[in-house]
Amino acid sequence: MRTSREFFATRTVAEALAGFRPGRRTAPETVALDGALHRVPAAAVSAPAALPGFARATVDGYAVRAADTYGASEGLPAYLEVTGSVRMGTAAEVAVGRGTVVVMPTGGVLPPGADAVVMVEYTQETMPGTIEVVRPVAPGDGLVRADEDAAPGAELVPAGRPLRAQDLGMLAGAGVTSVKVHARPVVTVLSTGDEVVPPGTASLRPGQVRDATASALTALVRQAGGEPYAGGIVPDDAGALHAAMRAALERSDLVVVSAGSSVGARDQTAAAVAGLGEPGIWCHGLALRPGKPTLLAECAGVPVVGLPGNPLSALVVFRLVGIPLLWRVGGCTAPPPEPVARASLGREVASAAGRLDVVQVRLRDGVATPLYGASALLSILVAADGYLVVPEEATGLPAGTEVEVTLYQ
Amino acid sequence: MRTSREFFATRTVAEALAGFRPGRRTAPETVALDGALHRVPAAAVSAPAALPGFARATVDGYAVRAADTYGASEGLPAYLEVTGSVRMGTAAEVAVGRGTVVVMPTGGVLPPGADAVVMVEYTQETMPGTIEVVRPVAPGDGLVRADEDAAPGAELVPAGRPLRAQDLGMLAGAGVTSVKVHARPVVTVLSTGDEVVPPGTASLRPGQVRDATASALTALVRQAGGEPYAGGIVPDDAGALHAAMRAALERSDLVVVSAGSSVGARDQTAAAVAGLGEPGIWCHGLALRPGKPTLLAECAGVPVVGLPGNPLSALVVFRLVGIPLLWRVGGCTAPPPEPVARASLGREVASAAGRLDVVQVRLRDGVATPLYGASALLSILVAADGYLVVPEEATGLPAGTEVEVTLYQ
């Protein structure tokens, strides 16, 4: 019989991403367009009416009946009579008939009777009120249809993809000034460890360290569209952590615990998760370096990520598995693209098969130089321009390998 | 003699980026760390003290004098006496002497006398109070120095690079809880055109269009770290635009005018710029498609970007030349990386030599398919995953060309 420890065997990152899929989703809320950048639509938004709503000139020139220009050339121009002009932002007051044209500004309303706009460059005013047209146009030339940007009911923006600048422009153009989006997932960030004190602590006692991880995690949560909640620092005490997590579960869509670095602290998150609700622990250990002592759990419908105590490891894990969870809970099915760069590996990287290695690199002139330190300190992450991943099946990468670097932003 | 029109000849985008370099910079302001994500430090921040501040174990094990382990092996272990243990977050109470060790948790303070930590995996407690060490350690093994993450006065984060999550973590760890950053550049977004009405306008008269460009520009300004100011819609009237721009210059670090699409509106921004302050117009026309009718000017120390009337063109130009200006004014010398993807061009793209072509593409399975429309409508930008650039020297790209696509986010 397997013990519970064996049951929670180490999983690969790919298994975690594919297999740990909590069903929680944040509720929809309505936000004004001005505050909707990067928010995630809870449903596709449809065009309430045709866009632009009227046939519109796309060039400066003359509204014509295309048939009146057939066969026109430099040698044999078509002579047409100018009977009026269109003013921007108003309906056309004059119709176009056989042999007549109306002066059109770009963006103006196509007058009744016209089916094309001939560019001013292909015309000449030979005498007041008469133009020569030296090139024929076909129906539809020089204009957009009334429903060319969007037909009524057409999808303006899809559900699940964070709204980009042009999406907001499209919605504004269609008169949609608010949009139903998933609420930002509330992510409680808890730190544990008797040695950990708030960043604002003026002077430290020997052995104390300021909480670096929480500030970085809070920023990552915000960057990924979440609403961070500062859960504070919990001492290395099972009861205190259990109580803090119980409170966090009640208010959160995702709970992130960065463990203390001591030996006892490592298993403490797992112990605290027990009894906080089903289905409990999904995995305890990732085949990842750095980041092995990672815990994934779901308690009472809320996903919980237990991070390693080392700040660098914690941030690596949160980027790899925490942010995808945050997106999922926030209804984001088409995550924003990450900046990447191709580079040549500056020197050999060792790795063990069966384990994903995340290597911090500095990028200069197309060369990615791995950064290592005594024990993976935060200064390495600050010096890094990005990271590369050595896949599970590789046992290392020789210098000169072409690698893909995910860039920090 | 050249006329003023010839003098403001068309420039390339590269010339504009290299040559139009207004000296304006926003003033520094101090912000709390919690609100400093992606803000641009006005000066490098130095470590007020060593980090972590004490020699610290990076493994669980025993603090030792390395010399006591020399020559230790499985066959001939070193026997050492356990004289105490270190508690997390407190100073070591027991020193390590010859032949003695102290129990160390990861992250604990190295006791006086010790110069290494031997991992618990390479030890065995043979009887209470005595351990065998089966591998030698060198001085410095299993620990980080007191100044390993940062020496006092060392640069924690550089000036000019937007703060990333890990930078905030580093600052928090060093006890730096506020940071001097460049103020967000105030960018006034003005729309012009008699046909343009606010997005919230419930029903339109024929010929009217809702202002799509301003909403999209506002979002791009915010995304790039600026503080957008809604300058509203100005009618096609030289005096009104002049007055609106004068007011905008007073409050802004950058003024962006999206022109109306009519023939008259196109030169109106140039006319309005006259008399608003030196040095005035820098260029009027970019060798860019879409985006030719672009104006760059500097009036009374404030850069002004005049954008084409077409929303898609306006957004293309603002991404290419407006955002780099915004970064510059906001003190950002190391702009954040943009997401890009390599792809195979799905079909031929035509281009004219001497002109930069920006082509919107849809990206699926590594194939970039160009998206074209009757007249470059906003719906094309919404359908696009990114864009590719056909350089000035190229006369087109054949299908199958490997291209770099800049991805929208």
Side-chain angles (χ1 to χ4, degrees):
Chain A
M1 213 186 117
R2 297 189 299 188
T3 68
S4 72
R5 185 144 195 116
E6 282 168 331
F7 183 73
F8 301 123
T10 294
R11 307 276 190 130
T12 66
V13 172
E15 283 169 353
L17 292 175
F20 182 59
R21 299 177 74 78
R24 190 182 187 94
R25 296 292 177 279
T26 58
E29 64 183 19
T30 300
V31 295
L33 211 55
D34 189 48
L37 180 66
H38 296 160
R39 299 298 302 267
V40 180
V45 181
S46 303
L51 249 186
F54 54 94
R56 201 173 184 209
T58 58
V59 295
D60 294 316
Y62 298 90
V64 298
R65 299 163 70 133
D68 283 348
T69 68
Y70 290 166
S73 68
E74 293 279 352
L76 197 66
Y79 289 86
L80 300 170
E81 186 194 350
V82 182
T83 57
S85 66
V86 169
R87 282 218 343 259
M88 290 303 293
T90 60
E93 285 159 11
V94 190
V96 168
R98 184 169 300 175
T100 70
V101 300
V102 163
V103 178
M104 286 297 300
T106 301
V109 182
L110 192 75
D115 59 7
V117 180
V118 59
M119 286 174 77
V120 68
E121 287 85 342
Y122 301 131
T123 66
Q124 203 179 329
E125 194 165 5
T126 46
M127 51 183 141
T130 301
I131 59 161
E132 299 183 344
V133 176
V134 298
R135 280 206 199 178
V137 286
D141 280 1
L143 57 89
V144 290
R145 296 188 320 269
D147 64 352
E148 189 132 0
D149 222 2
E155 181 179 289
L156 294 175
V157 297
R161 183 180 75 183
L163 291 166
R164 308 166 305 173
Q166 63 261 48
D167 300 332
L168 300 186
M170 188 76 189
L171 293 172
V176 179
T177 55
S178 66
V179 56
K180 200 178 264 193
V181 297
H182 282 278
R184 296 186 186 282
V186 174
V187 182
T188 294
V189 175
L190 279 175
S191 304
T192 73
D194 288 340
E195 77 278 23
V196 182
V197 298
T201 308
S203 69
L204 304 186
R205 293 202 313 268
Q208 291 186 323
V209 293
R210 295 188 182 88
D211 189 356
T213 309
S215 292
L217 287 174
T218 295
L220 283 177
V221 165
R222 208 164 267 149
Q223 194 169 342
E227 180 76 38
Y229 183 96
I233 300 164
V234 185
D236 281 328
D237 173 85
L241 182 56
H242 190 86
M245 286 187 66
R246 183 179 294 282
L249 288 171
E250 272 167 30
R251 77 169 89 85
S252 313
D253 299 299
L254 175 63
V255 175
V256 179
V257 185
S258 81
S261 56
S262 69
V263 58
R266 259 176 243 154
D267 291 323
Q268 205 166 272
T269 310
V273 160
L276 283 174
E278 293 303 313
I281 295 176
W282 185 85
C283 92
H284 194 181
L286 280 182
L288 171 66
R289 186 175 79 169
K292 188 170 190 299
T294 293
L295 175 134
L296 297 174
E298 188 179 352
C299 300
V302 180
V304 175
V305 181
L307 298 173
N310 177 300
L312 184 145
S313 308
L315 295 182
V316 164
V317 171
F318 190 71
R319 279 185 185 274
L320 257 61
V321 302
I323 289 181
L325 267 178
L326 198 163
W327 282 332
R328 185 174 166 79
V329 169
C332 174
T333 53
E338 283 197 296
V340 293
R342 296 229 148 244
S344 168
L345 190 56
R347 54 188 170 85
E348 188 193 9
V349 167
S351 172
R355 182 185 74 196
L356 201 74
D357 275 61
V358 174
V359 180
Q360 307 300 320
V361 299
R362 185 144 210 169
L363 196 63
R364 293 288 180 276
D365 304 321
V367 176
T369 306
L371 300 172
Y372 296 108
S375 181
L377 295 157
L378 209 42
S379 52
I380 291 187
L381 267 188
V382 172
D385 296 304
Y387 65 88
L388 61 89
V389 165
V390 187
E392 279 102 348
E393 61 276 16
T395 54
L397 301 174
T401 305
E402 200 196 346
V403 291
E404 187 175 86
V405 177
T406 301
L407 301 169
Y408 291 125
Q409 59 177 353
Chain B
M1 214 187 117
R2 296 190 299 190
T3 68
S4 72
R5 188 146 192 114
E6 281 167 333
F7 182 74
F8 300 123
T10 296
R11 308 275 191 131
T12 66
V13 171
E15 283 168 353
L17 292 175
F20 182 60
R21 299 177 75 77
R24 189 180 189 95
R25 297 292 176 279
T26 57
E29 65 182 19
T30 300
V31 296
L33 211 55
D34 190 48
L37 180 67
H38 296 160
R39 298 299 300 267
V40 181
V45 181
S46 303
L51 249 186
F54 54 93
R56 200 173 184 210
T58 57
V59 295
D60 294 316
Y62 298 90
V64 298
R65 298 162 70 133
D68 283 350
T69 68
Y70 291 166
S73 67
E74 292 279 353
L76 197 66
Y79 289 87
L80 301 169
E81 185 193 349
V82 182
T83 57
S85 65
V86 169
R87 278 214 351 252
M88 290 304 291
T90 60
E93 285 158 11
V94 192
V96 169
R98 184 168 302 174
T100 71
V101 299
V102 164
V103 178
M104 285 298 301
T106 300
V109 182
L110 192 75
D115 58 7
V117 179
V118 59
M119 288 173 76
V120 68
E121 288 84 343
Y122 302 131
T123 66
Q124 203 178 330
E125 193 164 8
T126 46
M127 52 182 140
T130 301
I131 59 161
E132 299 183 342
V133 176
V134 298
R135 280 209 199 177
V137 286
D141 280 1
L143 58 88
V144 289
R145 296 187 321 269
D147 64 352
E148 191 132 357
D149 222 2
E155 181 179 288
L156 294 175
V157 297
R161 183 179 75 184
L163 291 166
R164 307 166 305 174
Q166 63 260 49
D167 300 332
L168 300 186
M170 188 76 190
L171 293 171
V176 179
T177 55
S178 65
V179 56
K180 198 178 266 192
V181 296
H182 282 277
R184 295 186 187 281
V186 174
V187 181
T188 295
V189 175
L190 279 175
S191 303
T192 72
D194 287 340
E195 76 279 24
V196 183
V197 297
T201 309
S203 70
L204 304 187
R205 292 203 313 267
Q208 293 186 322
V209 293
R210 295 188 182 89
D211 189 356
T213 310
S215 292
L217 287 174
T218 295
L220 283 178
V221 165
R222 208 165 267 148
Q223 193 169 342
E227 181 76 37
Y229 182 96
I233 300 164
V234 186
D236 281 328
D237 171 87
L241 182 56
H242 190 87
M245 287 188 67
R246 184 180 292 282
L249 288 170
E250 271 167 32
R251 78 169 89 85
S252 314
D253 299 300
L254 175 64
V255 175
V256 180
V257 184
S258 80
S261 56
S262 69
V263 58
R266 258 176 243 153
D267 291 323
Q268 205 167 270
T269 311
V273 160
L276 284 174
E278 293 302 313
I281 295 176
W282 186 84
C283 92
H284 195 181
L286 280 181
L288 172 65
R289 188 174 77 170
K292 188 170 190 296
T294 294
L295 174 134
L296 297 174
E298 189 180 352
C299 299
V302 180
V304 175
V305 182
L307 298 173
N310 177 299
L312 184 146
S313 307
L315 297 181
V316 164
V317 171
F318 191 71
R319 280 186 185 272
L320 256 62
V321 303
I323 289 180
L325 267 178
L326 198 164
W327 283 332
R328 185 174 168 79
V329 169
C332 175
T333 53
E338 283 197 295
V340 292
R342 294 228 150 245
S344 169
L345 190 57
R347 55 188 169 86
E348 188 192 10
V349 167
S351 171
R355 182 185 74 195
L356 201 75
D357 275 62
V358 174
V359 180
Q360 307 300 320
V361 299
R362 184 144 213 169
L363 196 64
R364 293 287 180 276
D365 304 321
V367 175
T369 306
L371 300 172
Y372 295 108
S375 182
L377 296 157
L378 209 44
S379 52
I380 292 189
L381 267 187
V382 172
D385 296 304
Y387 65 90
L388 60 88
V389 165
V390 187
E392 279 101 350
E393 61 275 16
T395 54
L397 300 174
T401 305
E402 199 197 347
V403 291
E404 187 174 85
V405 177
T406 301
L407 300 169
Y408 291 125
Q409 58 176 353

